[in-house]
Amino acid sequence: MTFVGLMCIPAFRNTAISPTDRARWMKLLRDDRPAERYRSVMRGWLDWLDTRLSAHEAQQGPAQRAWSFGLLNFTMALALAYPILAITVQWLAGYAIDFGGQEVIAASPLQARIFVPVWLGSSLILCLFAARSKPRWQWPLLILASGILFLGLFYADSFSVPKNLTIPVVVAVAVAVAVAVPGAFAFAVAIAFADAFAIVATPIFTVAFTVAEEPSRHPLVWRLLYYGVLMAGVVVVIKMLDVLGGGQRNRAVFLMLTLSHLPLFNALFDFVSAGLTRHLLRMGLDQKRAAWRAVLDGLGGIAIFFALGCALIIFITFVIPADGVPLLDLAQLFANLRSAPGDYIWLMIKLFSTLLPTLVHLSIAALTMALQYPAWWRNFVAGLLENGAQSRQAALFSGICICAMITVALWSPIWFFAFVITHDHGATFNTVLWIFETFAWAIGGI
């Protein structure tokens, strides 16, 4: 939570100094109509997303702007970072990375759990300061951030950070920073073959080219076609593999699933989920039926979440390597999820990524409540903004207060979501597992 607050400060530290930003926040804080505030905040966020993700569809209908070419590129770029960041989160939480009953990455020692957040967090914060700073400071800050990022690679061993985690983490951070830069993204799959005591095939889902203007009049159609070709290529590679035996099979399958299959599925289902959220919210604002559309958004996010899980189960059940052994023993996976859920935090984060658009929506709704209640707090922050034009201390303090409100708003849905999952000894989590397990049994996967 503290880290999120620090990440907000570069974006809002000069709010009181900028006349435009100060006027916008003053209007939000002084308005006594919660519904109007909600519509104003939500419309501002949707317009901001449209300018960055729907440039090709600016003159088209609301559905085309919601499920846009830019959104698909964005979800594909994030799909690369998801598995690496999810594994890093689990590793920093002190859990080993387990797969199929075999430890893939050992649990992190205390010094590593301190070093990695300081190392990566300082680099990210400097990048954000560079993005919001004057031109003469941007390059020095970016150079300093890059220096910290790559210098940390040389000292990672001293803090017991495994080598098989440092490079992927740096790549994930680079992708996360690149995602914040306006532009489009493309992707490719690289198939690497290594020979140790057994040959391991590891399909790797990577970002392969930077964005240029799409020559086609229908860039989304072409990107979906590329996606289909990649998925077909992954299926062909798996069907041809007959060399996954031996003691390294679990490790090879783990790499294939986390760096190729899961990103491909995540990219498509996250695209559908985010597009649905954008479309429903825009319709709710235009028709002044935001509450009903928000309910539909939540139900749609849950449906897409279950669709993603079922699609992965179908893939693992029916796409079997040439040696006849399934990629994953689903019965053992469900048993491990019940007995040691902490070893599979990385998998849960990836599956629940389809609910992120809904959680962001809840965060914005929580922000509107934070701007409304308690009244003395919003009046206090509004007073600081008014004095910020004459006092740098008041300007800085008002920016910190806004960051605090945004941080609490971002974390509120996460706290609520964690409570729902862990309530009554994990009854909700066990119910979700039972639904997926029943589906796997019904199609012959168990």
Side-chain angles (χ1 to χ4, degrees):
M1 185 173 179
T2 302
F3 178 72
V4 174
L6 291 174
M7 296 283 281
C8 290
I9 290 176
F12 296 100
R13 72 184 191 277
N14 294 325
T15 301
I17 300 175
S18 168
T20 304
D21 292 342
R22 184 173 66 251
R24 183 175 67 253
W25 279 96
M26 285 291 297
K27 181 178 182 298
L28 291 173
L29 290 167
R30 294 298 191 193
D31 196 344
D32 287 325
R33 298 167 297 173
E36 288 299 323
R37 179 185 286 107
Y38 169 83
R39 282 192 282 268
S40 176
V41 173
M42 190 63 68
R43 186 175 284 109
W45 277 99
L46 289 174
D47 291 343
W48 180 81
L49 286 175
D50 284 350
T51 59
R52 284 155 177 77
L53 300 179
S54 304
H56 290 272
E57 297 82 8
Q59 305 303 320
Q60 299 182 23
Q64 289 85 351
R65 289 199 300 271
W67 286 282
S68 62
F69 165 72
L71 176 63
L72 182 59
N73 281 331
F74 182 79
T75 57
M76 286 177 174
L78 284 183
L80 170 67
Y82 272 151
I84 301 170
L85 292 177
I87 290 170
T88 304
V89 167
Q90 176 172 334
W91 185 76
L92 290 176
Y95 293 97
I97 310 298
D98 184 88
F99 185 79
Q102 179 181 345
E103 187 178 89
V104 179
I105 300 177
S108 58
L110 178 61
Q111 65 266 29
R113 295 200 296 271
I114 296 174
F115 169 76
V116 172
V118 172
W119 166 40
L120 299 180
S122 58
S123 181
L124 278 174
I125 290 173
L126 284 172
C127 286
L128 287 176
F129 269 104
R132 299 289 298 182
S133 297
K134 295 179 180 179
R136 68 174 182 269
W137 289 104
Q138 287 182 347
W139 279 110
L141 287 171
L142 286 174
I143 292 173
L144 180 59
S146 302
I148 292 174
L149 188 63
F150 291 102
L151 188 64
L153 293 174
F154 297 99
Y155 291 95
D157 285 340
S158 303
F159 291 90
S160 303
V161 181
K163 292 181 179 179
N164 59 349
L165 189 66
T166 52
I167 298 296
V169 165
V170 170
V171 172
V173 171
V175 171
V177 171
V179 162
V181 178
F185 300 88
F187 62 99
V189 170
I191 307 296
F193 294 90
D195 186 286
F197 294 98
I199 299 178
V200 178
T202 310
I204 302 176
F205 183 61
T206 59
V207 173
F209 49 92
T210 16
V211 196
E213 188 72 17
E214 274 289 324
S216 170
R217 293 179 58 187
H218 305 285
L220 178 61
V221 175
W222 282 105
R223 188 63 84 241
L224 289 172
L225 179 62
Y226 298 156
Y227 175 90
V229 171
L230 287 176
M231 183 61 74
V234 168
V235 172
V236 170
V237 168
I238 294 174
K239 286 289 189 180
M240 294 175 60
L241 290 177
D242 58 356
V243 288
L244 281 177
Q248 296 299 316
R249 180 186 177 89
N250 276 348
R251 190 177 298 272
V253 173
F254 172 78
L255 290 173
M256 292 169 64
L257 288 176
T258 55
L259 299 180
S260 177
H261 308 159
L262 285 174
L264 282 171
F265 278 98
N266 267 109
L268 182 62
F269 283 88
D270 289 351
F271 168 72
V272 175
S273 178
L276 178 66
T277 298
R278 293 174 66 192
H279 185 57
L280 289 175
L281 293 183
R282 181 68 74 181
M283 289 179 62
L285 295 177
D286 294 342
Q287 300 172 6
K288 295 187 177 181
R289 299 179 63 186
W292 172 238
R293 302 297 181 184
V295 172
L296 289 179
D297 175 33
L299 295 175
I302 293 172
I304 294 170
F305 162 74
F306 280 104
L308 171 60
C310 292
L312 289 170
I313 291 173
I314 292 172
F315 186 92
I316 292 171
T317 300
F318 295 105
V319 181
I320 300 176
D323 59 7
V325 180
L327 289 173
L328 186 60
D329 186 342
L330 291 175
Q332 183 184 12
L333 175 64
F334 288 122
N336 291 342
L337 282 169
R338 284 193 175 89
S339 61
D343 292 341
Y344 291 88
I345 294 175
W346 62 272
L347 179 59
M348 299 177 201
I349 291 176
K350 288 192 61 61
L351 289 177
F352 284 111
S353 67
T354 57
L355 295 174
L356 280 178
T358 302
L359 291 177
V360 171
H361 175 204
L362 291 177
S363 295
I364 296 175
L367 177 60
T368 62
M369 296 298 294
L371 293 174
Q372 180 71 24
Y373 305 106
W376 67 266
W377 170 255
R378 62 188 176 93
N379 291 330
F380 172 70
V381 178
L384 289 174
L385 284 171
E386 285 181 335
N387 297 327
Q390 293 81 29
S391 171
R392 294 194 62 86
Q393 290 82 2
L396 177 61
F397 195 33
S398 65
I400 293 174
C401 291
I402 292 173
C403 292
M405 288 189 291
I406 293 175
T407 303
V408 172
L410 288 174
W411 273 94
S412 295
I414 298 175
W415 289 329
F416 174 77
F417 186 71
F419 171 78
V420 171
I421 293 296
T422 58
H423 178 64
D424 194 16
H425 305 288
T428 304
F429 176 74
N430 289 326
T431 302
V432 171
L433 277 184
W434 178 83
I435 293 173
F436 285 137
E437 193 171 15
T438 302
F439 177 78
W441 172 82
I443 64 172
I446 295 179

